[in-house]
Amino acid sequence: DGVTDARDGSGALFSEKRLLELLDKEAKGAPNAADLLARIEEAVSSYSAGVERSDDITMLAVRRAG
């Protein structure tokens, strides 16, 4: 919650499309769920650097084995 609502300096949303592209790219290289969440948090923080957040960000990742 809140990830896709993060805005950059011009007011553009991080967007579901950007999150899905990030998940597609990062899920393959992340060794565990915690690492994947850290990479998403880093991407969102970088995207919205210098902009006050209007919403909290909540994330949960589950990796299914097998």
Side-chain angles (χ1 to χ4, degrees):
D1 177 53
V3 172
T4 58
D5 299 325
R7 296 183 182 270
D8 67 5
S10 70
L13 293 172
F14 189 79
S15 78
E16 185 176 324
K17 179 182 179 204
R18 185 173 276 109
L19 176 59
L20 291 173
E21 289 171 353
L22 180 64
L23 286 171
D24 185 51
K25 173 184 157 198
E26 295 294 341
K28 295 172 184 145
N32 58 53
D35 190 46
L36 176 60
L37 292 177
R39 291 177 184 195
I40 295 169
E41 182 179 5
E42 182 180 321
V44 172
S45 292
S46 177
Y47 184 80
S48 61
V51 178
E52 187 174 334
R53 290 193 179 154
S54 62
D55 192 9
D56 65 328
I57 293 180
T58 304
M59 298 184 288
L60 173 70
V62 177
R63 181 166 285 184
R64 183 177 63 129

